[in-house]
Amino acid sequence: MARSSLEVADIFRTHGPAWRVAQRGHLSLGQLKVMSATQCRSAVLGGHVLRCDDCGTTQVSYNSCRNRHCPKCQSHAARRWLDARQADLLPVEYYHVVFTLPAPIADVAYQNKAAIYGLLFDMAAEVLLTIAADAKHLGARIGATLVLHTWGSALTHHPHVHGIVPGGGLTPDGKTWVACRPGFFLPVRVLSRLFRRRFLEGLQQLHRAQRLQFFGEHVALQDAGIFTAWLAPMRKQEWVVYAKRPFAGPQAVLAYLSRYTHRVAISNSRLVVVDERGVTFRWKDYRAKGRTRHKTMTLDPQEFMRRFLLHVLPGGFHRIRHYGLLANGNRRDCLAVVRAALHANVEVPTCEPGMPAPAFICRHCGRPLLVVEVLVRERPCIRAPPP
């Protein structure tokens, strides 16, 4: 079956202008920037005319919008990020852990994205590091890479973090590597209970510091007593923390990361058709089993755009973060100590000085393409509020 050429940008290009007018005053600057990504890789943003000196092929390459919520831009960003992570892989098992917020807190999180998403990151990392350091479990200092996703398969708001964790850590003296039991990382129930307690404590601290805002049906939660009573049922219910089986080797870790680190709410490949009924796309129903999980859903274009824009992150918010042994400030030194403890070496690919990789490659002969003309953008995209 031929791959559909339908794109998310097509939906915003067709239905976005009228919806933008109807939602005037209700869309953030970040959401407006995402809507302007309909211009990605089009003549509007300018580009280059390229020519191959070997076979004479000429082609036009239009500029990307570089918006991190654009489905077309993220594949290149993912490849660059993965290239930088190649040297960080260790010759050990890797585990996948997921921390999910309950639905009532997810509703409040949408109104307080920076504060609550940040708390989700910090508490998930703290729980992993704390339980791993406990001598009853692993008794070691570990590292973790956490990636934030805010969506479910049907584009609903479903904030959760995916953790990629090496299966072991360094002893407190930093000299010996302690490996997990084969096929087992840390007890999920222990992680879940501590995550629930620490997250609710942090949420109450944010409320006391008046760092949370409430609107609509949640406005009454501004009162401290009502907020405490609202949290009470969530102290008793089970929170979802899921640990998957270990990956099948370091390359499987990279393959997974390439799909998850720079993913957006929905990829162009999941779109089926846009017609008089609305936007039809493929989704996975995790409550069903087997092949019945894979379904299609049709939404009104306005509802599709609303759901897509639910997942626009605050400006400057980092959705990939590293902790413990993999923290940015000490990653290189810690990995060197770990490799020494494992008696393992790493081969880091090097490039010859003065020989940078070509930016454009000819699809016919594989030789570098030369820029022979620069195409100027037609009009500026949204960068800042009007004066």
Side-chain angles (χ1 to χ4, degrees):
M1 180 182 295
R3 186 172 181 177
S4 172
S5 60
L6 183 63
E7 297 180 353
V8 172
D10 298 327
I11 300 164
F12 278 96
R13 191 178 298 115
T14 302
H15 302 279
W19 194 67
R20 186 185 289 111
V21 173
Q23 297 295 317
R24 188 183 301 277
H26 298 285
L27 297 174
S28 68
L29 176 62
Q31 290 172 324
L32 290 172
K33 285 183 177 181
V34 172
M35 293 183 73
S36 74
T38 57
Q39 305 165 350
C40 185
R41 297 185 192 171
S42 68
V44 174
L45 296 184
H48 305 84
V49 177
L50 309 168
R51 181 173 298 135
C52 177
D53 280 348
D54 191 62
C55 67
T57 296
T58 299
Q59 67 183 61
V60 176
S61 175
Y62 292 119
N63 293 333
S64 301
C65 66
R66 297 186 180 181
N67 191 296
R68 61 177 170 170
H69 301 91
C70 173
K72 287 191 289 188
C73 288
Q74 292 311 295
S75 60
H76 297 289
R79 282 197 294 270
R80 291 194 300 270
W81 189 84
L82 286 174
D83 289 342
R85 299 280 78 77
Q86 286 273 3
D88 296 346
L89 286 176
L90 298 170
V92 300
E93 287 188 325
Y94 277 78
Y95 291 82
H96 176 198
V97 184
V98 183
F99 293 83
T100 303
L101 293 181
I105 294 181
D107 292 340
V108 173
Y110 179 72
Q111 300 176 356
N112 301 272
K113 290 183 176 181
I116 296 184
Y117 292 170
L119 182 65
L120 173 58
F121 265 118
D122 292 342
M123 292 303 102
E126 178 184 309
V127 166
L128 287 171
L129 297 177
T130 299
I131 299 302
D134 191 332
K136 293 187 297 183
H137 299 291
L138 187 62
R141 183 186 177 207
I142 65 170
T145 293
L146 301 184
V147 182
L148 174 69
H149 284 184
T150 63
W151 54 84
S153 186
L155 295 183
T156 52
H157 188 238
H158 178 62
H160 55 286
V161 293
H162 295 263
I164 310 300
V165 191
L170 289 174
T171 52
D173 62 8
K175 297 180 180 179
T176 306
W177 176 261
V178 179
C180 298
R181 301 204 313 260
F184 179 83
F185 177 50
L186 293 172
V188 171
R189 176 164 292 188
V190 176
L191 292 172
S192 175
R193 299 287 172 82
L194 183 58
F195 175 59
R196 178 182 63 187
R197 178 169 65 84
R198 291 294 295 120
F199 188 92
L200 292 176
E201 289 173 354
L203 199 59
Q204 288 230 265
Q205 291 174 3
L206 289 175
H207 192 277
R208 285 194 293 268
Q210 299 183 346
R211 292 180 56 194
L212 299 179
Q213 303 179 72
F214 302 98
F215 306 96
E217 62 182 19
H218 299 297
V219 69
L221 295 179
Q222 293 175 353
D223 180 86
I226 295 176
F227 184 75
T228 300
W230 176 77
L231 287 181
M234 284 172 277
R235 299 184 187 279
K236 301 177 182 178
Q237 71 183 66
E238 293 294 336
W239 286 36
V240 178
V241 175
Y242 180 61
K244 295 187 177 182
R245 291 176 297 177
F247 293 97
Q251 293 308 315
V253 178
L254 286 180
Y256 175 86
L257 287 173
S258 68
R259 297 194 304 269
Y260 272 78
T261 52
H262 291 73
R263 179 178 285 184
V264 297
I266 186 171
S267 62
N268 291 328
S269 61
R270 286 175 54 197
L271 299 177
V272 178
V273 67
V274 177
D275 53 23
E276 64 279 358
R277 295 185 304 121
V279 181
T280 301
F281 60 93
R282 287 181 287 271
W283 70 293
K284 185 182 292 186
D285 185 356
Y286 289 95
R287 293 171 295 183
K289 295 182 179 180
R291 294 183 179 180
T292 58
R293 277 188 169 190
H294 299 276
K295 303 177 179 180
T296 59
M297 177 181 294
T298 300
L299 297 176
D300 181 84
Q302 288 72 30
E303 174 62 11
F304 178 89
M305 291 186 291
R306 185 193 72 83
R307 290 195 189 188
F308 187 86
L309 294 177
L310 287 176
H311 310 292
V312 175
L313 296 176
F317 188 89
H318 295 280
R319 65 180 179 187
I320 307 173
R321 304 187 185 187
H322 309 277
Y323 297 88
L325 298 176
L326 300 179
N328 290 329
N330 62 357
R331 179 191 298 123
R332 182 177 299 178
D333 293 338
C334 286
L335 289 178
V337 173
V338 170
R339 290 195 180 94
L342 291 170
H343 306 288
N345 297 318
V346 60
E347 294 182 5
V348 180
T350 58
C351 297
E352 295 182 18
M355 296 291 291
F360 304 100
I361 300 294
C362 178
R363 64 171 66 98
H364 298 291
C365 65
R367 300 295 296 275
L369 290 171
L370 303 178
V371 177
V372 296
E373 183 181 353
V374 176
L375 305 176
V376 181
R377 70 168 62 214
E378 294 180 6
R379 64 174 183 269
C381 58
I382 297 175
R383 292 291 181 184

